[in-house]
Amino acid sequence: MEEKVIRKSFHILCLGILLVVFAEATHIPAYPKMLEHFQLGAGYSVYMQLGFALGLTGFQPLMGWLSDSFGQKIVILIGAVLLAIGSLFIALAPSFWVLVIGLFLKGFSGAAVIPAGVAFVGKYFSKEQQGKMMGIYGFYTVIGGLAGPIVSGILIDRFGWNAIFFLCSMLGVIAILLFAFGVPHAKGVKSTSFDFLGVLFVFLLLGGLLTVPTFINHYGVHSWMWAPAFVVSVVSFLLLLIVEKRHKKPLLDIQYAKTRTFWVPSAIAVILYMSFSSVMYVLTFFVQSVQGKPSTIVGLLQFPLFLTMALANIISGRLMATFTARRLIGVSIGLLVAGVGMLSMARIDTSFIYLFIAMSFIGTSIGTVGPVVKSVIVSKAAPSRLGVISFTYITIENVASRVGASFALVTFAIFTAGGNAAGALSSTAILLTVYTAVSFLFLLLLPKNHREQSSALTEETETISL
């Protein structure tokens, strides 16, 4: 394809991704109202989070494998269809568990669509352009995340929580049209065998891991009922490593994952995204359930978070031509520690402005680190495996976010049950501040100069540079 066609297709793809991200972000302000509708307590939000998280993370490696084997367009169309269907399930749910199934399908749509931008940039843009294009891709995704909670909060307060999911279903239809007519079909390299065991063990690994906070919430923090789920995840992980090493075209690229190019930035991302997601979900319940403010205020508090993320994505992508990955990621960690640290001092009468500033620090941090980490990870990836590698990383990122959110919700429920709902946000934030600071240790293992690392791309990657 010509460069002009590639750029046009990239922006159409990103616009469709924006709609999907928007839809993925709309349920956050709706959680309290959804539980109220079914007359359930805050603890049941863990089941909602589990359904959404399993859909979003459990099938991303499979979507990456399908993308490499049959082409990216087929995968993103599947995702758009699932968004339309899943959102209708939620809006029309006659029972709580039907709603959870809808959240699962809605999450699955994100698994199929959102990572596609990373794979597209890695495949069609040269190493000199990748940082900038990752920033643009990040800008689109963050704008979707910015608008989602705001629009959701307004619609929930005016028309009820169902309204936002009817809108999401319509956006799924629009995404289908964008992907069908605006994104060209590129044939994949069909595999002679399907990695069924890889799919099975990935699902068991993530299912076990994400179920741990669910059992803690249901049986209490002192119960060992979560242990079987944890054992399932550990055993599945070990079996997954064995299976993937023996498969000719594995679901996960274990060899590449073992390199510092992949696992070091991934480890940093796990810590940062867990903290980020934890804060976002706990703050939602703190503002609505503790401070007693409407859903619209929750949406407005997401505004500085995602606005700063959007701007930081663009700026970070351009700064990669001047500053090293180590320096940019170090700044990101420092900003996140500062933002979460501010929330550790939050009280029931904490002002909107104070929370606004804290969320701005957090948003700038995540927006800065996103393009840098993604560019480092794809910098040495072979084009024939970009789908697998990109979807594998996005899986890790999303698992970190979902696990962080689940544990945060459990922590909030525990504090609330103990009569300390007012201090739930500050107590959780203290733990997250210390946890986030640990990521500074991984900076020493990052390449000193990302530009030098990018110049060491494989010969196969150079053949597709524009």
Side-chain angles (χ1 to χ4, degrees), residues 7 37 43 86 111 114 138 160 162 169 207 209 228 232 235 240 253 282 292 331 341 369 376 413 421-422:
R7 288 182 176 274
H37 173 79
I114 296 174
N162 308 73
S169 184
L209 190 62
V232 167
V235 173
L240 178 65
D253 198 320
V282 171
V331 170
V369 79
V376 172

Side-chain angles (χ1 to χ4, degrees), residues 180-459:
F181 298 105
V183 179
H185 176 66
K187 291 183 178 180
V189 181
K190 292 186 179 181
S191 177
T192 56
S193 60
F194 176 63
D195 190 6
F196 173 78
L197 289 178
V199 174
L200 175 63
F201 289 132
V202 164
F203 186 80
L204 290 176
L205 164 62
L206 299 177
L209 190 62
L210 293 167
T211 305
V212 169
T214 304
F215 278 103
I216 292 176
N217 171 72
H218 190 74
Y219 294 103
V221 68
H222 300 295
S223 173
W224 284 91
M225 292 298 293
W226 56 268
F230 181 74
V231 171
V232 167
S233 64
V234 172
V235 173
S236 298
F237 176 69
L238 296 176
L239 293 174
L240 178 65
L241 292 178
I242 296 172
V243 168
E244 298 301 273
K245 286 181 179 180
R246 295 179 178 180
H247 205 279
K248 292 181 179 180
K249 193 175 180 182
L251 186 72
L252 303 176
D253 198 320
I254 301 297
Q255 294 303 316
Y256 189 77
K258 290 192 299 185
T259 65
R260 286 200 305 166
T261 303
F262 186 91
W263 76 263
V264 175
S266 295
I268 294 173
V270 164
I271 296 174
L272 267 58
Y273 280 93
M274 281 189 70
S275 298
F276 159 69
S277 184
S278 297
V279 167
M280 189 165 59
Y281 277 82
V282 171
L283 189 64
T284 296
F285 278 90
F286 175 79
V287 171
Q288 287 191 267
S289 301
V290 178
Q291 292 190 323
K293 296 180 179 179
S295 301
T296 303
I297 298 298
V298 176
L300 289 175
L301 274 177
Q302 304 294 323
F303 178 79
L305 180 73
F306 288 103
L307 177 62
T308 52
M309 281 176 64
L311 296 175
N313 264 278
I314 294 293
I315 296 171
S316 177
R318 297 178 183 276
L319 289 178
M320 287 176 62
T322 305
F323 298 100
T324 63
R326 180 180 293 183
R327 179 171 296 183
L328 290 172
I329 294 176
V331 170
S332 301
I333 297 170
L335 288 170
L336 188 58
V337 169
V340 178
M342 286 182 65
L343 294 179
S344 67
M345 295 181 281
R347 299 294 182 266
I348 191 171
D349 58 348
T350 296
S351 68
F352 175 86
I353 297 298
Y354 184 89
L355 297 176
F356 187 100
I357 295 171
M359 297 300 274
S360 297
F361 277 118
I362 294 170
T364 304
S365 166
I366 299 301
T368 300
V369 79
V372 182
V373 167
K374 292 180 179 70
S375 295
V376 172
I377 284 173
V378 302
S379 63
K380 292 185 178 181
S384 61
R385 299 291 285 167
L386 271 170
V388 166
I389 291 168
S390 299
F391 278 67
T392 299
Y393 165 71
I394 298 296
T395 299
I396 293 172
E397 183 181 294
N398 283 324
V399 167
S401 297
R402 297 310 112 203
V403 171
S406 295
F407 274 106
L409 291 172
V410 169
T411 302
F412 183 87
I414 290 173
F415 278 119
T416 301
N420 190 28
L425 176 62
S426 59
S427 300
T428 304
I430 291 173
L431 297 175
L432 292 175
T433 302
V434 176
Y435 175 70
T436 304
V438 174
S439 56
F440 278 116
L441 300 176
F442 289 94
L443 282 178
L444 301 175
L445 300 175
L446 276 174
K448 291 184 178 179
N449 194 319
H450 174 61
R451 285 168 291 165
E452 292 176 1
Q453 183 197 45
S454 294
S455 66
L457 285 169
T458 60
E459 189 174 310

